[in-house]
Amino acid sequence: MSDTPLPQGATIGILGGGQLGRMLSVAASRLGFKTHIFEPGAAPPAGQVAHRVTTALYEDDAALTAFAHGVDVITYEFENIPTSALDTLSALRPIRPGREALRVSQDRLTEKDFLSDLGLAVAPYADIPNAAALAAALGRIGTPAILKTRRFGYDGKGQARIMTPDEADAALADMAGAPAILEGFVDFTHEVSVIAARGLTGEVACFDPGQNVHEGGILRTTTVPADLTSAQRQDAVLLAGRILTALDYVGVMGVELFVTKAGLIVNEIAPRVHNSGHWTQNGCAIDQFEQHIRAVAGWPLGDGSRYADVVMENLIGADMDRVPALSQERDLALHLYGKAEVKPGRKMGHVNRIIRP
Amino acid sequence: MSDTPLPQGATIGILGGGQLGRMLSVAASRLGFKTHIFEPGAAPPAGQVAHRVTTALYEDDAALTAFAHGVDVITYEFENIPTSALDTLSALRPIRPGREALRVSQDRLTEKDFLSDLGLAVAPYADIPNAAALAAALGRIGTPAILKTRRFGYDGKGQARIMTPDEADAALADMAGAPAILEGFVDFTHEVSVIAARGLTGEVACFDPGQNVHEGGILRTTTVPADLTSAQRQDAVLLAGRILTALDYVGVMGVELFVTKAGLIVNEIAPRVHNSGHWTQNGCAIDQFEQHIRAVAGWPLGDGSRYADVVMENLIGADMDRVPALSQERDLALHLYGKAEVKPGRKMGHVNRIIRP
């Protein structure tokens, strides 16, 4: 049954109960699927709109097994799932996207090697097992540069900038002994991302690239259409297609790109729906969440056509105070995540502004 | 607290667990609310995307009381809620839209009287308590005419056409002793509906009227924009506003109108989100479901602006066989209801087709 489209009423298991799992759950419901969320934390946002929730640790083999038996296919909202959990789950049900995508994207060094081997341009980088390697890499790559933990980094966490070589020791200390990678700075004009999808039968469909603005390491806005030439737009789609096909990927992937005078440079990939694709909820008949569900359910992909220009803005921490005013703006769609507690830097929701011609 | 906007994390109770409750639940989640569904039937479609579900009869006073205590405000997806249940619930929590709207719309005769008293044009009608009244009414109104039960009719059920006077007895027998109303036929060119909303502080916002096509008494398609002159469009909005204000209404109402050479005639009103408003999910930043949730939560209404032309088509019964083909159409949004069993005449889902200029 794993290669035939999931029928109405089938259940999709989702690892992770945050806002991405929540929006995946809503999209699954539009296609007539039920969802079952697996999440260690209590009262996950996704649980408010899911058919079932399992609250258990990724180390709880019995809970994982019961979860797998209760679903038809398994997907996830985040890439840092422990390998032991994946071993248990993948023996029982298909996991989509597959393990190769997780293996590659869970480690920044592996990911950079993978992208380089595909012939794609990436920032200069070096494996940093120790201080000597860092000194050597800084000699080769120069400053400014950025030291990052190889694993478990997101939204600017686990990163240290090195503006001059004498900051090297402090940056390495910030890694707290974790394996690290040094990345050189790229002289880019702006960042865009491609939300790309690949179906079970190998077809690829990309949404229009969006242009991203970050603040403090966290995505602030995504604007479509992005400022790209027609050639750059095609390059972006073609390189995303190469990445997905090389991984025999099934699902939606976020591919972040730096736009430079010399061409597009791949910043990073995320094997899941992506914050920079939230605009699709109000610009396309089929959004990134439904596209992902279609792929993992073995359905045909939607074509990803865009019928409106959109600016997506994240609501972070105290931005929630703006909700009463935002709720009165014309052509503005609110998407709040139902998180109980507002914290600084916490993604609480986003808005999509429709831009009329 | 009943007059202040509901805060993030509040719970909205919804009576009825069908597709309307389901889409209300999803819309509530976008605003950061949880939902609790009350539904007698097992495994309701809305339960798949709700935080909690109570499965109990409307005669179960203890279940109604526990439900009310667990929610902040109560709304509903259908108008035929037993009065005793409303008595129990309204003593504990606000019910929006309020009881006057239910009282009026639960009885076709009361509704027609209410609309007439407002000075709005309706089809000729007469109360039919018995055969003598039917004969007299047919003498006055003429044929063809249509006999309808005063209560509990929907989707063409509880109706009998009378094409010639000799069909009167058979039609009355179809009513099975239920109180009935006779309605004269209206010579209309087409039917439109206005999805109108009124907020807790009295503001009114209407979506663009949609043009409806029925088949066998069931809505088949709704198209926006509707074929209306600018004056008709204004009339439609103004008369909807009068209805809502007269009822001190809070929430979304569907107002069905016949378009005739002599002007607009009110066919019927539904004190809830309405099938003919499903197009708003893909044509507006704020759809009818969110608009309803905003109203019952005491939030400001959205402005209802439309940014795309849409044709909504219902998927009824065996239409579900078309889903694989439909899922591959460009600019087509699927909305399936997660109903376990396909039955003839059963609404299983709908699609919204974006119409590009």
Side-chain angles (χ1 to χ4, degrees), chain B residues 3-301:
Chain B
D3 277 359
T4 56
L6 281 191
Q8 292 290 298
T11 299
I12 295 174
I14 300 174
L15 304 174
Q19 64 266 22
L20 300 181
R22 178 179 169 99
M23 293 184 279
L24 284 170
S25 190
V26 167
S29 80
R30 282 202 305 269
L31 299 183
F33 299 125
K34 301 182 186 113
T35 57
H36 185 157
I37 305 293
F38 188 101
E39 162 67 47
Q48 298 167 16
V49 288
H51 188 51
R52 288 193 61 194
V53 180
T54 293
T55 303
L57 299 176
Y58 284 108
E59 291 71 31
D60 184 341
D61 220 55
L64 288 167
T65 300
F67 168 78
H69 280 298
V71 304
D72 295 287
V73 64
I74 297 169
T75 189
Y76 44 88
E77 64 154 13
F78 76 123
E79 53 269 44
N80 293 319
I81 305 153
T83 300
S84 60
L86 293 170
D87 288 342
T88 300
L89 296 169
S90 62
L92 298 169
R93 290 291 182 276
I95 298 186
R96 297 174 186 152
R99 303 228 12 206
E100 179 63 3
L102 284 168
R103 188 187 69 80
V104 165
S105 62
Q106 281 181 345
D107 184 318
R108 290 182 193 278
L109 182 65
T110 312
E111 182 178 310
K112 284 276 195 293
D113 287 344
F114 162 76
L115 294 168
S116 293
D117 290 349
L118 265 185
L120 302 178
V122 297
Y125 69 98
D127 182 17
I128 307 296
N130 52 44
L134 179 55
L138 284 171
R140 177 169 67 83
I141 293 172
T143 54
I146 186 158
L147 192 65
K148 301 179 178 180
T149 56
R150 283 173 54 176
R151 297 174 66 91
F152 303 121
Y154 67 96
D155 282 352
K157 295 184 175 70
Q159 304 194 4
R161 291 190 180 211
I162 302 176
M163 301 308 286
T164 58
D166 61 316
E167 294 175 1
D169 288 349
L172 197 58
D174 276 357
M175 302 295 109
I181 176 175
L182 185 75
E183 296 179 14
F185 268 41
V186 172
D187 183 21
F188 62 95
T189 55
H190 52 291
E191 187 204 291
V192 300
S193 54
V194 178
I195 306 300
R198 187 165 175 275
L200 200 55
T201 53
E203 76 275 25
V204 171
C206 295
F207 292 100
D208 260 5
Q211 184 163 336
N212 302 327
V213 175
H214 291 82
E215 275 177 28
I218 303 180
L219 183 66
R220 186 77 231 177
T221 63
T222 300
T223 300
V224 282
D227 180 14
L228 290 174
T229 65
S230 175
Q232 287 170 327
R233 215 169 281 274
Q234 285 183 22
D235 276 356
V237 166
L238 288 172
L239 73 81
R242 283 174 66 186
I243 294 169
L244 271 63
T245 301
L247 294 169
D248 194 19
Y249 195 83
V250 176
V252 159
M253 172 182 279
V255 180
E256 294 185 10
L257 303 169
F258 294 131
V259 182
T260 76
K261 282 168 193 157
L264 300 175
I265 290 179
V266 183
N267 178 27
E268 63 179 33
I269 61 176
R272 52 171 169 79
V273 289
H274 196 257
N275 194 167
S276 68
H278 292 358
W279 66 267
T280 58
Q281 294 174 310
N282 296 94
C284 302
I286 293 163
D287 66 23
Q288 68 163 346
F289 302 99
E290 179 175 333
Q291 190 75 302
H292 185 79
I293 295 293
R294 283 173 172 246
V296 303
W299 278 37
L301 297 180

